[in-house]
Structures are given as structure tokens and as C-alpha cells.
Amino acid sequence: MNLIELKGIQKSYELGKTTVTALRGVDLSIAKGEFTVITGPSGSGKTTLLNIIGCLDRASAGRYQLDGQDVSNRDFDDLAGVRNQKIGFIFQNFNLIPVLDVAENIEFPCAVRKDAEKPEVLRQKVERLAEAVGLKPYLHHKPDELSGGQRQRVAIARALITGPALVLADEPTANLDSATSEQIIDLMLALNREQGVTFLFSTHDARVVKHAKRALEIRDGVMVP
Amino acid sequence: MSRLPRLAVRNVGRNRRRTLITGAAIFVCVTLVIVLKGFITGAQDLMLADVVEGRTGALQIHQKGYVDNIEAVPTRMNLPYTPALIAKIKAVPGVKGVTGRLQFNGLVSNGRAQTMFIGKAIDVATEKEACPRADAVLKPGGQPLVPLERAALVGFELANSFQLAPGGTVNLLVSSPEGRQNSLDVKVKALTSSSFPFENKRVLTVPLKTAQELLGLDGRVTEYAVAIDDLNRIDETRAALAAALGPEFEVHTWAELQTFVRDIINRQSLVMGMISLVLFVIALTVIANTMLMSVFERVREIGTLLAVGVKRLQVLQLFIIEAAVLGLLGGVAGVIAGRLALLGMTLKGIEFEMPGTSTRALLVPHVTPGYIVGAVVVATLGAVLAASWPSFRASRLNPVDALRNG
Ligand SMILES: Nc1ncnc2c1ncn2[C@@H]1O[C@H](COP(=O)(O)OP(=O)(O)OP(=O)(O)O)[C@@H](O)[C@H]1O
Ligand SMILES: [Mg+2]
């Protein structure tokens, strides 16, 4: 069974009297362990699609099954647990929490749980992940003391701490220079290869597409066959 | 246990300037309220002591109906002044001391002129049991009253207009309760000065025996003044006293007898309340403003929290806790500063002029521990109240818009 099953997903926004349609019937299946890239011009609907897949937004029409559960019509707060346990997010602008240090940022999705593990247990997990993303020496730095590439590594570790079924990355390299972008893509590829993490990410950048095992294109809210 | 609250505490320290402004607003308001309250309590204590310990006693006992006719100084409404009745009063729990008095009026004359006077006859031996601070302020050259002497203390303005001086004699003319005229020459022992101008112009103080003789009221008084152990339990003691004495007697509190002092105290408390309210509203406005700014500044962060699975209710809690911490810190700091300021003033001592006279008293500002705890609680709850709308706004943010932002 596929991890993600989208059928006829549509999304439109009401802007006053006009309706903007961002997605017009997207069908998409993603299997466990895949490494998928979605490309498309600006405004084609990449962010909208990723937000729906990440349960941050709800489709106007269509069916969405995540890991065998139908999540199409569930309410936002009801899906907090799904977001927390099944999905990891990586953003274009990192979105780290400035008052927390690297270790605290990484453990954050686990630490906010009602039944959070003991700090020592969690800290071990954090250290293993920091090692994997190459941040071991920076655990007690604040985000504003890090470079863009290092910040994105923190975000990747944060996305992985919960052991999610799926990691969503919306243009994770858009704010990085090309050398750093390559490193970040390599890191994600390695994590996919070695730990079997399922990645779905969007990009403008044709150069990163060549690394992807599976590349999809979206245009005007529909997948290009 | 979720460790989200720690984030809230960190966020307080995040924007130092904003935290300082908010904290300072709470701090200043709480400090002001504590200092003001300390002063007013100190002033009220002075007034209360002046009245309760210096004039009326905490409670007074009269014949039933006396207080309704108090303007007429009705000597026909009198009570026996016997050891048995005194013992009965003293036996009531909460009663500390008791004395008898005779209030009367009449005409005072120096042989050439005559004027109306109010007579206060006191049991010189026991007056201080009921009113420990009942010392009349004597002008230089005077002597205090002695129990069995036919003598009087005369208000200094009355004495001056009648050219009376210590050692001189004055004639008192009164009507007995049965309407018989009676007069007596008494020796002027001293001139008195009081914080009530009326007492300087009109009042003569005489030993109880002298008044009883003058009025033909041997062994009688018009009132008992009673001191009690605890002013906070005055109503209890009053009820016990009334029950012990029965229906021919009436028992009143100082507040009922000195309504104008009570009104001053009530008015001060009201003004205090209004000032506190204004300060409270100012502090709330500042906090609400800061929290709203804080929410706008952190829109993307809130989006991130929602994305990693923090519930909306938790986002609300986050901001509420942040405000509560601010309120608590500002409140505690304000209370400490207020207490220190009061302490400093107490050490120096504040001379306070009783209204209308030159009598000076030392004002000791103070606040109760309960009030201090209350101030901190109100500051904290106020901060939470002020933060509730901004926090609610934060918790309702649309995560997609919040993350797109910037
Ligand atoms: N909240 C919104 N309200 C109105 N229209 C929106 C909203 N979000 C997205 N859109 C519209 O939906 C369409 C798709 O936007 P989306 O952000 O998904 O594109 P994108 O492929 O991510 O673009 P980019 O590469 O610039 O990030 C656009 O036309 C956009 O203007
Ligand atoms: Mg986008």
C-alpha cells in the first residue's frame, strides 16, 4: 500500500469576488522509502500541494489517504497528532525557534508532546541525529549563530526526530548557495538511502532534480504526465 | 510532561526592551499601589486610634434610645454605674476595659458673661482602661484632674474668651433630668487643646463625681465606653455585649457614633480603589499592547509550532504563561520596591498634622501581608486577562498564511 494516495485533489481560494484555483485535480501516489522531487514554475501550486499533504491545509475537493488513514475531512487540531508523529517539515526559511539552542530546536517536536520522553533519553536521540547531519559541535549554539546551511541541517534533524513516515521539504535549498544546496541534497539522499526516510520536496532548481530518483512536474495546478 | 511552558519563560527574556517596558509598567503600578495603600492605612490607623483609643472607645453602651436623641444630650436617659454592672460588662469575652461617663450640657459663667457648654464627665480612675490615649492635651501651667475634686478642664478658646486661667473659678449652671436648676463653682485646673475646634470652644471636662453632684445623678452615668481586644472582631464583641446586657441597653460601635470619621475612612478607601483601578487599567493596556506586538512578531514561529503538531490550545497557553510570568515578575518586584519605600519612610518617620489643629502625630505607613499577596495575584491575573485576546488571536492563526508570511 502506498504511503500517500491523492485522488482528484482540488484547492481554490476565495479572494473577494474572484476564486483563485491553485490545484485542479491532482492525482499522486508515493510509496514508502521514495525520494520524490516536484518541480514547477512559480505559482504552479507546489506549496499548496505540500501543505495539503502535510495536513496544514485542507483540499477543497478530492480524497487524501495518508498511511492508510483517510485524512481528507479531519479537523485541524484533530490532525495535530498526525502532523507531529507522521510528518516532518523542512521550510525554505528554516523556521527555527530563535530562543532555543540547536539541541532544543531538534528535540522540540518530541518535547511538546504530552507524554514526552525523559530529557536524558531525548538528548541521546538528539545527539545521534546531530551526528548524522553533522551538527554535533553546535548543539548549544543559538540559530542566529549558524550559517544558512547549518540552520537547514537543524531543520532536517528536527524533521527526523519523531521518526516520521514522510518528510516534506518546500524549496529547502532556495535560500542557500549552490555548494551548500548540493550538500543538503546529498544529506537528504543519504538519509533516504541509509535510513529509508521518505522524502517529498519541491524545488525550482533544475540542477537538484538530476539527483532525484523520481521527478514530477506540476503546472497550473495539474501534474504534467 | 510537555516542555512547552519552558519556551514561554524563555520568550519573556527574548525581547528585552519589550519585556522591560511591560515589566516596568506592572512594576510601577504595583509599587504605587503599595505605597499609596501603606500611607492610607497609616493615616486611617491614626484616625482610628485617635477616635477609638482617644475618644469613644471601641464600643459604647447607653440606655435604649439614647443615640437617637444624642443631639439633645439627654441626661434623663442614664444608667447605673455600679461595680456589679461593670463586672458584668468586663465578663463579656473580648472586652478589655470599661469606664463610665456623663455627657451633659449647661451654661458656664464667669460672673460677667454666660455661654452654653458641653460637659464631659469622666471617671478619672478608669478612663484610660477604655481609652488608653484619652490624655487631654493641657496648655502649659495646667494640672490634670483628680477624682473627687470640684474642678474642670476648659477648652482653651472658651477659657480665653472668658479670661479663665488655671487656679481660677468658674460657675456651671445645669438643669437636672427633672428640670431643677442647679449650679456649682468649680476650679479651673487646666486649659485643653484638641484636634476638634468645637472642643476648644465648647467643652469642659470634669470628674464624674462633680457632674453627678451637679445633676443630682449620684451613682449614674449616661454612657459606658468599652475597649476590646480585637477591632477586627468588633461586631462579634458587640453582639455578645448586647446579649449579655439585655434589651434596656443599646450597644454601638465607634463607627456608628463617629460617622464622619467613618465616612472619611470610607471615602479614602474609595479614592484608593479608584486610583488602583486606573493604574490597573493602564498596566492592562500596556500588557495587551506588548502581547499583541509579540504575536505579530512571531507569526511565522506560531505557524511552525502548528506545523510540528502543537495544538491551538497549547499556543494559547504559551502566550498566557508568558504574560503570567511577566505579571508575576513585575508584581513581585513592585511589591518589594513598594515595601522598601514604605520601610524607608517609616524609618524616617512621617509627621502628620491632624486636620484642623496643630496636633502632630507620627504616621506609620504599612500594608498587610494579605494585601501584598493580593497585589501580586492581581498583577498576575491582570496580565493574563490582558493577554487573553492577543493569545487567542495567536492560537487562531492560519498556519499556511503564517508560514507564507515573510
Ligand atoms: N492563501 C492564498 N490565498 C489566495 N491565493 C493563494 C493563497 N495561497 C496560494 N495562492 C495562489 O495559489 C497558487 C499556487 O500557489 P503556491 O504557493 O502553491 O505556488 P508555488 O508553486 O509554491 O509557487 P512558488 O514557487 O512561488 O513558491 C498561486 O496562484 C497563488 O497565488
Ligand atoms: Mg511555494
Side-chain angles (χ1 to χ4, degrees):
Chain A
M1 186 187 49
N2 285 323
L3 181 62
I4 287 175
E5 202 71 69
L6 297 180
K7 279 255 165 0
I9 293 292
Q10 297 182 19
K11 178 73 187 179
S12 42
Y13 298 97
E14 306 292 335
L15 280 181
K17 285 196 181 117
T18 59
T19 305
V20 181
T21 306
L23 299 175
R24 30 187 113 227
V26 172
D27 297 334
L28 175 65
S29 307
I30 291 175
K32 275 201 178 82
E34 273 194 307
F35 190 95
T36 312
V37 175
I38 298 183
T39 58
S42 190
S44 56
K46 302 182 294 297
T47 299
T48 306
L49 182 61
L50 260 56
N51 284 340
I52 289 171
I53 294 174
C55 300
L56 279 179
D57 206 353
R58 225 149 85 170
S60 315
R63 244 168 53 102
Y64 171 22
Q65 279 209 336
L66 170 65
D67 212 3
Q69 287 182 56
D70 190 337
V71 292
S72 328
N73 290 312
R74 283 170 65 186
D75 148 275
F76 182 79
D77 247 13
D78 192 27
L79 288 168
V82 172
R83 283 191 296 277
N84 183 264
Q85 285 152 32
K86 300 226 155 139
I87 293 165
F89 285 96
I90 301 169
F91 304 96
Q92 175 181 334
N93 37 32
F94 324 128
N95 284 339
L96 302 178
I97 296 170
V99 284
L100 302 181
D101 67 20
V102 167
E104 291 165 330
N105 263 290
I106 294 175
E107 72 184 9
F108 190 73
C110 286
V112 297
R113 289 178 177 169
K114 287 230 157 57
D115 55 347
E117 295 113 308
K118 284 211 179 81
E120 312 85 66
V121 179
L122 204 49
R123 215 26 88 100
Q124 278 178 11
K125 257 163 99 177
V126 168
E127 280 175 20
R128 247 180 288 130
L129 262 173
E131 181 101 64
V133 300
L135 279 175
K136 197 76 188 285
Y138 301 97
L139 279 176
H140 299 295
H141 287 235
K142 286 278 164 69
D144 59 7
E145 298 159 3
L146 303 177
S147 72
Q150 287 170 326
R151 289 185 208 186
Q152 202 57 303
R153 287 165 191 270
V154 178
I156 291 171
R158 177 178 66 186
L160 293 174
I161 188 85
T162 57
L166 170 70
V167 174
L168 296 169
D170 192 12
E171 305 196 37
T173 59
N175 282 352
L176 303 174
D177 60 64
S178 52
T180 315
S181 297
E182 292 276 347
Q183 289 167 11
I184 292 294
I185 298 290
D186 285 345
L187 174 62
M188 297 204 295
L189 279 167
L191 289 165
N192 172 255
R193 199 169 48 238
E194 287 153 23
Q195 303 184 18
V197 184
T198 313
F199 278 94
L200 172 62
F201 77 95
S202 72
T203 186
H204 272 306
D205 188 343
R207 280 171 312 161
V208 294
V209 180
K210 66 176 187 279
H211 295 290
K213 296 177 189 158
R214 182 180 175 203
L216 303 170
E217 200 185 340
I218 188 168
R219 220 173 258 279
D220 282 335
V222 283
M223 304 305 286
V224 177
Chain B
M1 253 297 284
S2 165
R3 267 168 279 152
L4 207 57
R6 273 199 328 192
L7 181 63
V9 178
R10 295 274 184 93
N11 276 330
V12 172
R14 166 195 244 171
N15 186 333
R16 292 233 167 71
R17 211 164 59 104
R18 204 184 48 213
T19 299
L20 269 176
I21 293 172
T22 321
I26 302 169
F27 169 81
V28 168
C29 290
V30 172
T31 308
L32 281 177
V33 166
I34 293 286
V35 169
L36 207 66
K37 176 71 181 178
F39 259 96
I40 288 189
T41 314
Q44 289 179 344
D45 282 356
L46 270 190
M47 255 186 296
L48 218 93
D50 191 53
V51 168
V52 172
E53 289 172 24
R55 290 166 198 283
T56 57
L59 295 169
Q60 287 196 352
I61 303 162
H62 300 97
Q63 197 189 92
K64 187 92 195 159
Y66 182 89
V67 170
D68 286 340
N69 294 296
I70 203 161
E71 300 298 333
V73 199
T75 47
R76 71 190 150 75
M77 305 188 83
N78 52 52
L79 306 166
Y81 192 49
T82 59
L85 190 50
I86 292 172
K88 192 171 174 183
I89 293 168
K90 275 188 173 165
V92 171
V95 170
K96 197 159 69 177
V98 58
T99 191
R101 295 173 182 161
L102 242 168
Q103 308 270 2
F104 61 104
N105 56 18
L107 293 171
V108 55
S109 142
N110 63 355
R112 291 183 300 279
Q114 249 187 358
T115 189
M116 206 277 278
F117 77 93
I118 303 283
K120 288 183 188 292
I122 57 171
D123 185 339
V124 178
T126 57
E127 176 68 15
K128 287 203 171 170
E129 285 182 24
C131 286
R133 310 198 338 173
D135 278 312
V137 180
L138 304 184
K139 292 273 183 187
Q143 295 281 319
L145 288 179
V146 182
L148 294 175
E149 208 174 8
R150 279 188 191 163
L153 307 178
V154 185
F156 80 93
E157 286 187 53
L158 176 65
N160 288 347
S161 62
F162 271 55
Q163 283 127 30
L164 299 174
T169 309
V170 69
N171 182 264
L172 306 181
L173 177 66
V174 301
S175 302
S176 74
E178 298 80 37
R180 219 164 7 85
Q181 301 279 312
N182 198 7
S183 94
L184 205 62
D185 281 341
V186 299
K187 193 172 144 203
V188 176
K189 295 276 289 191
L191 312 190
T192 58
S193 96
S194 147
S195 54
F196 291 87
F198 148 84
E199 294 187 341
N200 295 327
K201 287 182 192 141
R202 286 278 175 246
V203 170
L204 263 82
T205 312
V206 299
L208 188 56
K209 192 76 198 153
T210 305
Q212 287 171 338
E213 198 179 337
L214 191 56
L215 290 156
L217 284 173
D218 222 18
R220 315 287 295 184
V221 292
T222 53
E223 77 189 27
Y224 281 92
V226 177
I228 65 173
D229 293 325
D230 186 358
L231 268 188
N232 294 321
R233 298 171 60 178
I234 190 164
D235 289 326
E236 234 171 278
T237 312
R238 178 238 220 133
L241 206 47
L245 290 170
E248 308 93 87
F249 296 84
E250 59 185 21
V251 184
H252 287 95
T253 64
W254 68 268
E256 290 164 334
L257 297 166
Q258 296 280 341
T259 47
F260 94 100
V261 175
R262 183 198 61 197
D263 292 346
I264 290 176
I265 290 179
N266 286 348
R267 204 163 314 134
Q268 282 178 344
S269 301
L270 186 73
V271 169
M272 173 72 208
M274 282 177 349
I275 295 174
S276 307
L277 190 70
V278 169
L279 290 172
F280 185 67
V281 169
I282 292 174
L284 286 205
T285 314
V286 174
I287 299 167
N289 217 16
T290 339
M291 288 309 286
L292 207 56
M293 269 159 56
S294 175
V295 169
F296 286 137
E297 243 170 55
R298 277 146 62 185
V299 163
R300 240 178 50 203
E301 182 180 319
I302 296 163
T304 311
L305 297 188
L306 293 169
V308 302
V310 173
K311 293 204 171 169
R312 292 194 184 279
L313 192 66
Q314 289 178 293
V315 173
L316 184 80
Q317 281 168 2
L318 186 75
F319 282 87
I320 293 281
I321 293 171
E322 196 175 320
V325 170
L326 260 175
L328 187 68
L329 291 181
V332 167
V335 157
I336 291 173
R339 283 290 285 137
L340 286 179
L342 288 183
L343 203 67
M345 292 174 202
T346 311
L347 287 183
K348 266 182 67 190
I350 305 149
E351 283 225 335
F352 181 78
E353 208 159 296
M354 293 301 283
T357 60
S358 53
T359 327
R360 288 181 170 278
L362 211 58
L363 191 152
V364 182
H366 68 97
V367 282
T368 60
Y371 194 83
I372 287 180
V373 172
V376 174
V377 169
V378 167
T380 310
L381 291 184
V384 167
L385 180 72
S388 53
W389 169 242
S391 309
F392 179 74
R393 290 275 305 265
S395 75
R396 300 314 303 173
L397 279 181
N398 176 348
V400 173
D401 294 339
L403 288 164
R404 198 180 285 272
N405 209 296

